[in-house]
Amino acid sequence: AYAAIADAQESRGLGDVYKRQDPAVIMLVHDGKRALLGRQKIWKPGMYSTLAGFLEPGETLEEAVAREVWEEANIDVSDVRYHSSQPWPFPGSIMLGFYAEAKSTFIRRNDEEVEDVQWFEANDLRDFPAHGKSLPRTDSIARRLIEDWLETMD
């Protein structure tokens, strides 16, 4: 619908129309030896991924990372570092990937945000299928964050 409106405005000589972007942050939170992963009810059973959420108006990327982790798991974070990005077509976004270090480790899950949140050690993540669990698709930024973190744990 947005593309049709933009085309109509341009054809009427109303100037250039720039498509809206809805930036989202996606982050792997770790405590030095474990990674914090969560799951949503709509995902296939057993699949866990990194936490994520949209930026709020007036918020920095780092603030969005900290807020989303707090909202979903009640974990404080520090040392938020940019990792990479990936275009995301829903609704027309860019996913900005980060690592963050946990300052606290006790999880108090927000049931309105996620179905489950857990800490996983590197060896558990490497052996997820044996535990009836899975990770995101290999072409996703979530998987790239996880795989790159696992490389640092060797």
Side-chain angles (χ1 to χ4, degrees):
Y2 182 85
I5 293 169
D7 289 344
Q9 286 179 330
E10 287 180 25
S11 69
R12 291 188 197 131
L14 297 176
D16 293 334
V17 175
Y18 299 96
K19 293 186 178 174
R20 175 180 155 170
Q21 286 285 314
D22 294 308
V25 292
I26 185 165
M27 67 293 295
L28 184 137
V29 177
H30 65 89
D31 69 356
K33 60 184 184 294
R34 301 176 300 171
L36 184 69
L37 301 182
R39 63 168 280 102
Q40 294 186 4
K41 293 175 188 170
I42 62 169
W43 294 347
K44 68 179 183 177
M47 190 183 103
Y48 283 78
S49 184
T50 54
L51 304 181
F54 287 99
L55 229 64
E56 297 289 337
E59 190 173 49
T60 68
L61 297 169
E62 296 83 0
E63 289 168 343
V65 167
R67 177 185 50 76
E68 285 293 338
V69 175
W70 179 258
E71 285 179 1
E72 295 180 10
N74 207 34
I75 301 287
D76 282 318
V77 298
S78 64
D79 194 26
V80 176
R81 293 173 287 118
Y82 175 77
H83 178 272
S84 59
S85 64
Q86 175 181 351
W88 196 252
F90 309 106
S93 307
I94 185 160
M95 298 285 288
L96 302 155
F98 293 87
Y99 286 123
E101 188 171 332
K103 293 183 355 184
S104 60
T105 59
F106 179 75
I107 297 169
R108 194 165 50 222
R109 181 183 72 229
N110 180 342
D111 292 336
E112 293 180 19
E113 294 277 337
V114 290
E115 180 181 59
D116 191 27
V117 181
Q118 294 183 38
W119 289 106
F120 295 99
E121 293 185 5
N123 287 336
D124 295 331
L125 292 174
R126 291 184 184 108
D127 201 25
F128 245 28
H131 302 287
K133 294 182 172 59
S134 64
L135 294 172
R137 294 172 20 168
T138 56
D139 62 348
S140 68
I141 188 170
R143 184 66 171 266
R144 191 164 57 239
L145 286 164
I146 295 166
E147 295 292 341
D148 289 354
W149 179 77
L150 284 172
E151 285 181 19
T152 69
M153 301 306 292
D154 289 333

